[in-house]
Amino acid sequence: MYDTIIIGAGMSGLAAGIRLAYYDRRVCILERHNTIGGLNSFYRLRGRDYDVGLHAVTNFTPKGEKKGPLARLLRQLRFRWDEFALAEQVGSTIAFPGVSLQFGNDFDLFRSEVHKQFPRQKDQFEKLISKIVDYDDLNQEIFDLSTRQVLAETIDDPLLIEMLLCPLMWYGNGREHDMDFGQFCIMFRSIFFEGFARPLAGVRLILKKLVRKFRGLGGELKLRSGVDKIHVQDGEAVSVVLESGEELLGRKVVSSAGWLETMRLCDDVSHVDSSQAGQLSFTESVSILDCPPRDLGVDRTIVFYNDSEKFHWQKPSGLSDVRTGVICSPNNFAYDPDDDAQAMLDGVVRITSLANHNSWSALSEQEYALEKLRCYDDVLESAVRFTPDFRNHIIDTDMFTPTTIRRYTGHDNGAVYGAPQKRLDGATHLKNLFICGTDQGFVGIIGAIVSGISVANQHLLRD
Amino acid sequence: MTPGDIREEIIDILESIAPDEDLSELQDAPNFRDQLELDSMDFLDIVMELRKRYRIQIPEEEYEQLASMQSTVAYLEPIMKDMAKAS
């Protein structure tokens, strides 16, 4: 009998597991795949390492800072700041036709950019900042407000509104068209007030730290252990049945599979409304270059681009929508120059585009391979309008699509940020079943880890 | 354990919660919260660490006794005076 069974060895499940194991709970994490990480996993192809989810870690705060999610999670998981080996971004850009805004990890740069490019919005922008500073995480009513409405009431230049929404929706909005105001504030803080960083070794470094700590504390991790169902009796989850038929007993169960996906596992739930699933999925076009990207002038950490004045955040009707995208180079972080591993780093440019899961999953194997090539070309054609053209220097490519993301995350529609409706308290219809991760409310690597911690603290450690 | 031992143990717990923190200047009278910016999650950890290390159960309504070093040591002294120091 376990004290807690955790479904999914992504960032949130591992973080919850560490909290429980640290306080001597008997805990087991079940992972369907043969590796950990979920959305934030990694893979090896033709001798090269690739990250799946990670562009950058958000919420960067420097060593010694005591406030904010990064400092909090380090304390809660008993890590020293240095252990994540975070190197800061060199600088990022929001690029729209004819106007761009630079930003880095010092908020004053972004503020001065907005003041310079939108001089008549100076006071309005400051008013928005104070609303974001005042926003209280715990108030569900304010969380649910329409961001577009709040922005329209505060700022009267529509272009500035779109330029603010573009990066924040790209990095953490599971809702089409609009965004929950709470989510907007959380993302604004995590990207503009705090900032981007990355370990040189990528996401695998963070995952390895988490899993090593979890196991070191006596936690059990079972790979290749997909869950077939959560067995319910008298309003309580009593066991978790694996696809192999093995049944594991647990006093409490926490699932990072997603809200609908978890409901479907419960054997007392007969109908799940799949129309509540998230719709937004991505393709990721990865180019390996024969030189560091900055040698070609591709010197930004991240460029969020949009090719018209209106930013469209919605599921494309066809396979993909390349009008907007995110260009990221993992090379463009301020790594320690003495770290020899840096010389080993391939030049990499990753570009994310919006994509439609159903269209991609309907393709035959042959069509799929062909459409990937076609889409890759379209993506690069679109992106080089916002970054120097690097296409003559490509030596290898890879691309993943919504079907890949679905495979890694198990989310309906390969929805990267899960369902639009978040369940902030993590509670379900069963008193001993909880959810954590994407559908609980926090996204991104730091968000997911904080999600696992807070669900563990709130529901799993208080007895 | 003497009050001095208890203080040392609390410092050890705080060090494990906040490994990057310099605790050598920690004052006994002012609240932890004002000196270390601990949030409610961290307070839960002080309680949980005491339970983990010494099997001490602190009821939720008495958490406020742990606001500063002074009040914490005073609160724990009668409970811990007959305990041996954990290694």
Side-chain angles (χ1 to χ4, degrees), chain B residues 31-33 43 47 58-68 71-72 75:
Chain B
N31 283 351
F32 291 133
R33 199 180 281 268
F43 272 93
V47 173
I58 301 173
E60 210 157 334
E61 59 274 15
E62 289 173 20
Y63 285 5
E64 62 194 56
Q65 305 288 337
L66 308 182
S68 70
S71 67
T72 306
Y75 173 76

Side-chain angles (χ1 to χ4, degrees), chain A residues 323-335:
Chain A
R323 293 176 296 174
T324 179
V326 185
I327 307 165
C328 166
S329 171
N331 304 80
N332 295 337
F333 288 83
Y335 299 118

Side-chain angles (χ1 to χ4, degrees), chain A residues 23-55:
Chain A
Y23 288 114
D24 304 320
R25 302 301 202 272
R26 233 194 126 204
V27 53
C28 180
I29 303 181
L30 304 173
E31 170 55 52
R32 174 179 301 277
H33 297 96
N34 55 14
T35 183
I36 56 173
L39 173 64
N40 287 298
S41 199
F42 51 87
Y43 60 100
R44 218 175 147 75
L45 182 72
R46 294 186 287 274
R48 291 196 172 85
D49 290 332
Y50 293 84
D51 283 342
V52 184
L54 177 85
H55 280 179

Side-chain angles (χ1 to χ4, degrees), chain A residues 16-124:
Chain A
I18 290 173
R19 288 292 291 170
L20 292 165
Y22 182 82
Y23 288 114
D24 304 320
R25 302 301 202 272
R26 233 194 126 204
V27 53
C28 180
I29 303 181
L30 304 173
E31 170 55 52
R32 174 179 301 277
H33 297 96
N34 55 14
T35 183
I36 56 173
L39 173 64
N40 287 298
S41 199
F42 51 87
Y43 60 100
R44 218 175 147 75
L45 182 72
R46 294 186 287 274
R48 291 196 172 85
D49 290 332
Y50 293 84
D51 283 342
V52 184
L54 177 85
H55 280 179
V57 173
T58 58
N59 299 92
F60 176 83
T61 42
K63 185 172 181 170
E65 173 60 53
K66 294 164 194 166
K67 286 187 180 160
L70 177 62
R72 175 187 285 173
L73 79 84
L74 292 171
R75 286 203 298 273
Q76 288 273 305
L77 300 181
R78 310 291 191 267
F79 285 112
R80 285 176 296 106
W81 188 91
D82 298 316
E83 286 184 82
F84 281 5
L86 294 174
E88 293 192 62
Q89 66 165 322
V90 295
S92 297
T93 303
I94 307 164
F96 275 52
V99 51
S100 63
L101 295 168
Q102 318 284 326
F103 67 97
N105 289 356
D106 178 356
F107 181 65
D108 285 339
L109 170 63
F110 186 56
R111 174 180 262 151
S112 71
E113 283 280 298
V114 172
H115 290 179
K116 193 169 78 190
Q117 304 289 350
F118 296 92
R120 293 158 68 156
Q121 298 297 313
K122 209 168 155 176
D123 296 340
Q124 283 92 326

Side-chain angles (χ1 to χ4, degrees), chain A residues 19 22-25 63 66-67 72 74-76 78-81 453-454 457 461-463, chain B residues 16-21 35-39 41-42 44-45 48-49 51-53 55 60:
Chain A
R19 288 292 291 170
Y22 182 82
Y23 288 114
D24 304 320
R25 302 301 202 272
K63 185 172 181 170
K66 294 164 194 166
K67 286 187 180 160
R72 175 187 285 173
L74 292 171
R75 286 203 298 273
Q76 288 273 305
R78 310 291 191 267
F79 285 112
R80 285 176 296 106
W81 188 91
I453 291 170
S454 57
N457 288 352
L461 282 169
R462 289 178 186 241
D463 51 8
Chain B
S16 76
I17 295 172
D20 292 317
E21 193 86 47
Q35 299 182 74
L36 304 174
E37 298 193 38
L38 299 183
D39 56 27
M41 277 191 181
D42 299 317
L44 177 68
D45 269 51
M48 302 270 305
E49 286 278 0
R51 181 159 119 186
K52 177 174 160 136
R53 296 176 185 207
R55 305 274 150 223
E60 210 157 334

Side-chain angles (χ1 to χ4, degrees), chain A residues 203-217:
Chain A
V203 75
R204 68 199 67 209
L205 177 128
I206 297 174
L207 284 168
K208 273 181 191 159
K209 294 273 177 194
L210 294 175
V211 81
R212 213 170 283 162
K213 176 146 290 197
F214 175 67
R215 284 189 160 136
L217 293 164

Side-chain angles (χ1 to χ4, degrees), chain A residues 12 60 67 76 105 111 120 165 201 278 317 370 435 446 450 456:
Chain A
S12 67
F60 176 83
K67 286 187 180 160
Q76 288 273 305
N105 289 356
R111 174 180 262 151
R120 293 158 68 156
L165 286 173
S317 49
L370 189 68
I435 65 155
I446 302 296
V450 170

Side-chain angles (χ1 to χ4, degrees), chain A residues 262-274:
Chain A
T262 301
M263 288 303 110
R264 246 178 244 135
L265 292 173
C266 295
D267 66 4
D268 66 325
V269 176
S270 53
H271 174 74
V272 173
D273 180 5
S274 298

